[in-house]
């Protein structure tokens, strides 16, 4: 009878995919649907939730009991071996990326510089622009045609994945290849983009592919690797390690990498994971060190003291006085304002780019082409504005420099002179940062040079990020920050005794703090980058001030990107207005549930007509005196059962015989949703549809539950802290059946809740944006 | 009727305090009682759980709605002001401690050294032993008589507090004063103990006292401070910041302090806390810097380049080759073995000491006296074993040195010679570490010297920790590790090109990793201590190896101490055998519950006869059709209600009038349980006992619940992750009333569960100790 009622409600179901008008304001449009969509990379995809809950059914319990010591040993060995492999591969990829960028960009600069030295400026411009154009279009082309998921930095996608959002393709083998190759091309093409974000994505990608035992699609599977990751939780842990390893490889900062994964990317963390990701980044450090040693004897082309090497800012004068606190405070405030403005502008531009990108592949390529040509014009044209400076008498390197390695670019200047703006523009980003950080170079750059470069760098960074190619945010932000850091140092004049190189480092810290709002990890990364521990208190202070100032205006850039892309990201806190609601207030749609022994036809019908991924299993008479909740069964498990066709002829308990037909491996979740079986692929005869399945042995008998009068805020804390996909709602009074609904991630999304209860929008809770986290703590909206 | 049944079961209640035979094997004896006891410091105390759950009742909801902007502003200002104050005070205390130790110990060494130089060896021995004895007895005396809670390092107590265990007195003003003064005396008395652990306790203490608005007992309360911490969660956050600040102050390592709090001390963490504790340690760093600057012009007596200053190990030869990996691996393995042995021996000794200490104050003092005299004899006597070495021609400082500052102690040697063993023994621990870390001192120490010092240091550390005085573990471990690090470096001879000073640093890392098993924070602390980033990969490797090796044998020292002291520490994982049980299997004792409108007499009776801290509130007819669970009410709130005497004459709803009689502040939990009201203090007339209270407006209507068939493992994950004190168990079938029991922290303790189900002990799950965490991950016993 219960079933009958449900069936009638089926047409009330929301469509699985909503209409086309969502792209710009995706989140509002997609609320209340069971299957969600989001912008992944530069493309729109359906997304699913990940399931970290421990399924406790008879089958798995039997399996756990039967685990042998050999199996436990295999698991432990594989777990650490995977971490080792992730570290080694991420380190190798990071090194390879740097090596390739240094060589490709290096050759480009050598050729054009030589032309400039020979006075053939038009040719130099042509070659420079053309090579940049070709490299950019190559990066954009492979991204657009082979793996749109590889566009952008990838950190928002990784962050969403680690929050439990499964977007297909973000960790595929194809994405990995395109990301690596595309990053090399994009970073070599003098675009104002970085490699750090893409390397984080690459590291996560490597981890995920290893974790699912290779890429099935490309027949790159290894059976013996399959013994490890059989659930989303193990994979999440490995991807967390991979993200840390990627950051460690990008900046050669092993401790910083771990902290970045902890602070900026992961949603769940525990101490044993700290320990495992620390191992992974230690491997990265050792691998990088070994590879750099190999390159020491000039075997690696133009890869020399360029990328990946620390920006050594050790200067004798690292003592600072208390009067130096003023410029530090100024830097922090400026960094906070510029950082939040950066975020604001970047999101505005990305909204426009999304409109352009959704018009098709050609538009994406066109956009990339325009950005590339504009960037080339900027980089080549702006240095002409700068006045030539005479070479300093005590220059440590050749002035003007020849080839790419030197930093006193002659450009259009007369012999014995150099163009300081070209030293910044006409270089790889890594070399430019090194120039800005270098100590004892207080007189190398003119203020006007720094101003021009700052403005160009600020806006080029904003305009370049959104093109359909792998692009990172870290390096542009570091670069821009270093510029105004130096500028403020110049303005301070003799007031501060600090070196301008130190000002540049502090400037970078301030913009990182203002834009990304990560503190401890940026602090450690900068220390590891610059090898100068005495800077620590100043860096901490700058970060604290810039983050505080920027938090007044908007959120951190990654949260804004996750939001813009429409990922249903589960915040670690409850909004104050959720206190006003009970879970019953947000339950929508008819509840679909199954009997303990259910008709095959009913199961197939429900699976085909809904997008739900979990169904309560209820025992009704004669199996129990009154309807009682037996547990929760997953869609994926039902499909395995239906495929195996172990059906019963009548509505009876099967006993433990059923268990013998299955092994736990049949139910293992191996990878992303693309690998999952679909109900549409099932072929069942008319006769089979009339038979029964005993769901008891396969039902998770320990689902988490809340009573319907539970406040939504506290239910969210439970949902988020334990890391659930489904949360069953049971009635308060016993007369309304054993279960009244299921809460999923989407039911906790502010858009969904405010859609159901628009009056909440007018309450003043909602308007409090300033100091949001502090207020949330006051109202105890956090755990 | 339900009440009647309960009353009859009262004599089944366990006694509130169990008998006297618990001290050594406290945990087993105390299982199943409602109020628990544990060893806090060196004394046995009753303990309670902390309550982090958000109480959602009508009163608080009304209060939240009425919060003004001014109030929100006050909260935010206070929150950050408290962090600032904690940082400033912790930094100041850390500096003061160091200043005092350097001066007290310094004068002692100057006097005795001068006597030695004059050849009056017996006098020197007498003065040295006597001053050590007096200092030790002073430290032990004030600890024993005024604040037994101040004994030991305090880190286990802080760790237990942050896990939700409230032991009275650990954060009192008295404890703070005794801890600071006692640490100064103990560290100056040449005992082999450190200052870091006590400083962590001090930092937490400062945070907690500020958090409850001062010390009520000592009339040091500030009204305007009271606006902040009104619940255990805010206090927990502040104490976490305080613990980090303490560590930061101990080693002048701000980032290391934050990570230590995260990795080793806290049980719950979130990103906004990272950010706040980072602010706190930044304040510590600035305060320390300012105070050290003040001391630069010799205003601070003997405080000079001693304690608190970084052990600068920068040497030119920081490049390492791959062949250096072998000694690093050897160091890691040795560190792992020695570290786990250290833990094992320490716990054994502590068990014996506990037996001695429980015999009374005199025994405690006697033990401290014996340890002090033995230590003095060791320190003064052992250097006579060493052969005198001629002074090196190129010594950077006077040799033999005069006064305390020099490190080439003349001791009994002829002029122009020095005693290298005395340079280690006859110094403050900080100076000894500096000697061992110093680069370019490969020939200063003989191997026999290092061996003697290693053995003495290893065992003195083990024997000194357990006395009834503030004692830290960090410095002895660092010191011992540095010794055998140097020794292994010597044994490597010409195989390794690393400096012996670097070997000493790596040795310290290996013993820290082997004993405390903290990785990332030790890594960062060592980097901040030694100011040498190039060491990073080697330190990481050593830590990883030593922790892995040591984990094979036993747990980390803090967990072992928490366990030994009998704190009901809630692990972040579920044991595999908990999978076999449902929550119903561990429910014990009769359930006490109240009606929505309850008789005053019943409430008083239940409160007086049980130790429970939370009671379900059930609405029975006529307030509802059938008995339904309304929520959970806390003992503390009931006592507030009873004191206010707003009683009803009949069993009716009071409506919202009741709310007007109370404000939310009446129910605020301000501090540790010593400040709470007791039910014994209530005076109620016979007539009042017959009246009724409407509990509805004060009942938390959103308690977390689990169904009785929920597996214990998953209930534990919920309990621990959300940070609960009470978890209501509701029945599966609707015929058994609305609630069947309450789970608390003690119901999840392995001793309790295995006491109820001894057969589980024979299952093989329980025997798996090796690689425990990996196995737990395989069985998904972690979140």
């Amino acid at each position: 009878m219960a079933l009958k009622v449900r069936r009638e409600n089926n047409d009330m179901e929301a469509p699985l995919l909503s209409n086309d008008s969502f792209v710009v304001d995706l989140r509002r449009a997609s609320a209340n649907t069971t299957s969600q969509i989001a912008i992944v990379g530069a493309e729109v995809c359906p997304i699913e939730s990940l399931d970290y809950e421990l399924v406790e059914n008879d089958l798995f319990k039997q399996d756990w009991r039967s685990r042998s010591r050999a199996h436990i040993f295999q698991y432990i060995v594989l777990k650490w071996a995977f971490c080792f492999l992730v570290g080694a591969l991420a380190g190798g990829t990071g090194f390879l990326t740097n090596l390739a960028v240094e060589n490709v960009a290096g050759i480009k600069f050598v050729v054009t510089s030589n032309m400039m030295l020979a006075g053939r400026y038009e040719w130099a411009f042509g070659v420079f622009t053309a090579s940049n154009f070709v490299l950019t279009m190559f990066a954009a082309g492979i991204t657009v045609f082979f793996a749109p998921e590889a566009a952008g930095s990838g950190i928002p996608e990784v962050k969403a994945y680690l929050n439990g959002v499964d977007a297909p393709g973000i960790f595929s083998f194809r994405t990995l290849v395109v990301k690596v190759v595309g990053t090399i091309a994009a970073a070599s093409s003098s675009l104002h983009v970085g490699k750090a974000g893409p390397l984080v994505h690459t590291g996560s990608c490597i981890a995920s592919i290893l974790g699912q035992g290779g890429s099935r699609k490309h027949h790159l599977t290894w059976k013996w690797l399959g013994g490890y990751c059989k659930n989303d939780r193990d994979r999440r842990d490995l991807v967390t390690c991979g993200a840390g390893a990627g950051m460690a490889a990008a900046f050669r900062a092993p401790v910083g990498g771990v902290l970045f994964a902890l602070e900026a990317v992961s949603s769940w963390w525990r101490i044993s994971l700290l320990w495992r990701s620390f191992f992974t980044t230690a491997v990265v450090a050792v691998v990088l060190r070994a590879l750099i040693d190999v390159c020491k004897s000039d075997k690696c082309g133009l890869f020399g003291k360029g990328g990946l090497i620390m920006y050594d800012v050790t200067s004798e004068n690292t003592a600072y006085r208390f009067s130096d606190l003023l410029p530090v405070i100024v830097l922090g405030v400026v960094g906070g304002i510029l950082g939040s403005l950066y975020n604001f502008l970047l999101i505005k531009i990305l909204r426009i780019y999304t409109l352009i990108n959704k018009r098709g592949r050609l538009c994406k390529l066109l956009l990339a082409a325009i950005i590339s040509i504009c960037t080339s014009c900027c980089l080549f044209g702006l240095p002409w504005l700068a006045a030539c400076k005479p070479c300093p008498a005590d220059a440590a390197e050749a002035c003007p420099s020849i080839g790419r390695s030197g930093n006193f670019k002659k450009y259009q200047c007369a012999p014995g002179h150099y163009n300081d703006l070209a030293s910044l523009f006409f270089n790889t980003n890594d070399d430019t940062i090194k120039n800005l950080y270098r100590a004892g170079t207080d007189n190398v750059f003119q203020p006007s040079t720094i101003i021009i470069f700052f403005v160009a760098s600020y806006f080029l960074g904003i305009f370049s990020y959104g093109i359909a190619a792998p692009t990172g945010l870290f390096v542009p932000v570091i670069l821009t920050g270093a510029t105004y850091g130096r500028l403020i140092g110049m303005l301070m004049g003799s007031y501060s005794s600090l070196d301008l190189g130190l000002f540049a480092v502090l400037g970078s810290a301030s913009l990182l703090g203002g834009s990304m709002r990560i503190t401890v990890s940026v602090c450690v990364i900068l220390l590891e980058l610059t090898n100068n521990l005495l800077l620590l208190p100043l860096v901490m202070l700058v970060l604290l001030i810039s983050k505080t100032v920027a938090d007044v205006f908007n959120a951190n850039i990654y949260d804004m990107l996750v939001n813009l892309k429409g990922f249903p990201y589960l915040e670690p806190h409850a909004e104050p207005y959720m206190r006003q609601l009970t879970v019953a207030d947000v339950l929508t749609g008819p509840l679909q549930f199954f009997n303990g022994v259910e008709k095959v036809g009913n199961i197939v019908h429900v699976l085909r007509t809904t997008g739900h991924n979990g169904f309560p299993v209820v025992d009704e008479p004669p199996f129990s005196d009154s309807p009682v909740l037996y547990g929760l069964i997953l869609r994926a498990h039902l499909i395995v059962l239906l495929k195996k066709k172990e059906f019963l002829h009548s509505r009876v308990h099967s006993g433990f015989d059923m268990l013998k037909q299955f092994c736990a491996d049949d139910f293992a979740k191996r990878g992303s949703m693309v690998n999952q079986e679909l109900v549409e692929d099932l072929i069942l005869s008319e006769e089979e549809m009339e038979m029964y399945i005993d769901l008891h042995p396969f039902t998770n008998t320990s689902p988490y539950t809340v009573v319907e009068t539970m406040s939504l805020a506290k239910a969210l804390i439970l949902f988020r802290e334990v890391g659930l996909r489904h949360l069953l709602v049971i009635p308060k009074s016993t007369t309304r059946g054993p279960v009244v609904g299921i809460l999923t991630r989407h039911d906790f999304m502010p858009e969904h809740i405010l859609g159901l209860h628009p009056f909440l929008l007018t309450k003043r809770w909602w308007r409090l944006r300033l100091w949001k986290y502090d207020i949330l703590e006051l109202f105890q909206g956090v755990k």
Side-chain angles (χ1 to χ4, degrees), chain A residues 517-717:
Chain A
R517 316 284 160 86
I518 41 183
T519 51
V520 183
S521 50
V522 164
C523 197
V524 174
I525 288 173
L526 275 179
L527 290 183
E528 294 187 286
L529 266 181
T530 58
N531 193 24
N532 194 339
L533 269 165
L534 293 168
L535 275 177
L536 183 58
L538 295 183
V539 172
M540 289 176 91
L541 214 63
V542 156
L543 279 170
L544 286 163
I545 296 169
S546 67
K547 180 177 150 66
T548 308
V549 170
D551 272 346
V552 171
F553 300 108
N554 51 27
N556 77 63
I557 187 65
Y558 294 123
D559 280 352
M560 290 172 86
L561 285 173
V562 165
N563 209 322
L564 177 79
K565 284 165 173 277
F567 290 121
Y569 188 86
L570 210 56
E571 295 288 346
H573 55 262
E575 301 286 340
Y577 62 82
M578 293 184 184
R579 261 331 155 54
Q580 313 280 89
L581 300 170
T582 65
V583 292
D585 292 331
V586 298
L587 284 179
T588 51
L591 175 69
Q592 306 282 350
F593 63 87
F594 294 123
N595 272 311
V597 180
E598 183 61 274
K599 208 173 180 181
V600 173
N602 286 342
I603 296 175
V604 172
H605 178 78
V606 170
L607 290 183
R608 285 196 178 149
T609 52
T610 71
H612 301 320
N613 270 281
F615 302 90
V617 174
V618 171
D619 268 337
E620 290 183 354
F623 296 110
S624 66
D625 298 335
S626 58
V628 290
L629 177 65
Y630 185 77
L632 183 85
I633 194 157
L634 299 180
R635 166 181 285 260
H637 293 186
L638 284 172
I639 292 175
V640 174
L641 287 177
L642 291 173
K643 279 193 79 175
K644 198 87 171 192
K645 301 191 178 176
E646 290 289 334
F647 303 145
L648 304 167
H649 287 280
S650 61
R651 198 179 270 259
V652 289
H653 267 299
S654 64
F656 274 86
D657 298 343
M658 269 293 263
L659 289 181
K660 290 185 188 134
Q661 312 296 326
F662 294 90
C663 71
D665 251 19
D666 295 339
F667 293 94
K669 186 174 174 185
R670 286 226 163 61
S672 191
M673 62 179 180
V674 281
N675 293 329
Q676 301 300 308
E677 311 281 351
L678 293 176
V679 67
E680 283 73 23
D681 303 336
L682 287 175
I683 299 154
L684 290 162
S685 67
E686 204 52 48
E687 187 191 0
E688 283 166 338
M689 293 290 252
E690 290 301 311
M691 292 169 79
Y692 292 89
I693 303 185
D694 184 0
L695 300 179
H696 290 104
F698 313 100
T699 301
N700 176 7
T701 54
S702 293
Y704 286 96
T705 54
V706 285
V707 180
E708 58 181 337
T709 52
M710 180 71 143
S711 91
L712 191 61
K714 290 177 81 172
L716 171 61
I717 299 287

Side-chain angles (χ1 to χ4, degrees), chain A residues 168-293:
Chain A
I170 55 167
F171 293 146
S172 70
F173 189 72
R174 213 175 46 189
T175 307
L176 174 64
V177 172
V178 169
K179 195 97 196 184
V180 174
V181 178
T183 304
I184 293 171
S188 310
S189 75
S190 289
L191 276 180
H192 213 66
V193 297
K195 313 182 284 277
L199 273 173
V200 170
H201 190 179
T202 305
S204 312
C205 225
I206 292 171
S208 177
I209 290 171
L210 282 175
Q212 57 195 48
S215 166
R216 216 158 299 174
K217 203 169 165 193
H218 296 87
H219 307 291
L220 292 168
T221 50
W222 303 278
K223 266 253 172 84
W224 58 270
L225 287 183
Y228 175 56
C229 284
K230 292 181 176 170
N231 56 60
D232 287 335
R233 222 211 45 233
D234 284 345
R235 251 187 311 276
R236 177 190 77 194
D237 291 351
L238 203 57
V239 169
T240 310
C241 292
M247 194 41 115
F251 291 118
R252 206 179 159 190
V255 178
V258 172
L259 294 178
F260 178 80
L262 164 69
E263 190 179 2
V265 190
S266 75
S267 292
W268 289 282
W269 194 268
R270 56 182 196 281
I271 296 304
S272 57
L273 199 56
L274 189 72
W275 159 228
R276 199 133 42 102
S277 58
F278 188 58
F279 170 72
T280 316
T281 59
V283 173
V284 171
V286 170
V287 167
L288 281 180
R289 167 88 201 195
L291 289 172
I292 288 171
D293 273 358

Side-chain angles (χ1 to χ4, degrees), chain A residues 572-576 579 713-714 717 773-783:
Chain A
H573 55 262
E575 301 286 340
R579 261 331 155 54
K714 290 177 81 172
I717 299 287
Y773 283 88
D774 295 297
I775 295 167
L776 285 168
E777 282 185 358
L778 170 61
F779 291 103
Q780 301 178 46
V782 290
K783 183 193 65 180

Side-chain angles (χ1 to χ4, degrees), chain A residues 228 364 373 484 571:
Chain A
Y228 175 56
K364 286 185 190 178
I373 291 169
Y484 74 76
E571 295 288 346

Side-chain angles (χ1 to χ4, degrees), chain A residues 126-377:
Chain A
V127 169
F128 183 69
T129 310
S131 56
N132 285 347
F133 183 78
V134 169
L135 285 166
T136 307
M137 294 319 284
F138 174 70
I142 55 172
T143 307
V144 168
F145 288 104
F146 300 112
E149 300 87 356
S153 83
I155 292 180
E157 279 82 359
V158 174
K159 191 169 178 171
Y161 178 84
L162 293 178
N163 189 261
V165 178
D166 191 11
I170 55 167
F171 293 146
S172 70
F173 189 72
R174 213 175 46 189
T175 307
L176 174 64
V177 172
V178 169
K179 195 97 196 184
V180 174
V181 178
T183 304
I184 293 171
S188 310
S189 75
S190 289
L191 276 180
H192 213 66
V193 297
K195 313 182 284 277
L199 273 173
V200 170
H201 190 179
T202 305
S204 312
C205 225
I206 292 171
S208 177
I209 290 171
L210 282 175
Q212 57 195 48
S215 166
R216 216 158 299 174
K217 203 169 165 193
H218 296 87
H219 307 291
L220 292 168
T221 50
W222 303 278
K223 266 253 172 84
W224 58 270
L225 287 183
Y228 175 56
C229 284
K230 292 181 176 170
N231 56 60
D232 287 335
R233 222 211 45 233
D234 284 345
R235 251 187 311 276
R236 177 190 77 194
D237 291 351
L238 203 57
V239 169
T240 310
C241 292
M247 194 41 115
F251 291 118
R252 206 179 159 190
V255 178
V258 172
L259 294 178
F260 178 80
L262 164 69
E263 190 179 2
V265 190
S266 75
S267 292
W268 289 282
W269 194 268
R270 56 182 196 281
I271 296 304
S272 57
L273 199 56
L274 189 72
W275 159 228
R276 199 133 42 102
S277 58
F278 188 58
F279 170 72
T280 316
T281 59
V283 173
V284 171
V286 170
V287 167
L288 281 180
R289 167 88 201 195
L291 289 172
I292 288 171
D293 273 358
V294 170
C295 274
K296 269 202 177 144
S297 42
D298 285 333
K299 287 178 203 151
C300 303
L302 293 170
F303 179 85
K305 294 219 132 196
L308 251 186
I309 310 294
M310 288 190 280
Y311 311 117
D312 215 323
V313 294
T314 321
S315 78
E316 286 84 69
N317 184 20
T318 39
Y320 46 88
R321 298 163 307 174
F322 263 76
S323 64
D324 293 329
L325 284 183
L326 177 71
V328 164
I329 292 168
V330 171
L331 263 177
V333 174
V334 171
I337 294 169
L338 286 177
S340 53
L341 184 67
Y342 196 90
N343 293 1
F344 175 79
L345 294 175
L346 188 63
I347 294 296
K348 288 273 171 226
I349 295 293
L350 284 181
R351 281 188 194 277
I352 297 167
Y353 280 13
T354 309
L355 286 175
I356 298 170
N357 282 340
K358 84 164 192 178
R359 285 170 183 268
R361 290 169 172 179
L362 206 66
C363 285
K364 286 185 190 178
L365 291 177
L366 204 63
L367 183 63
I370 291 169
I371 296 295
S372 170
I373 291 169
C374 290
T375 305
S376 296
C377 291

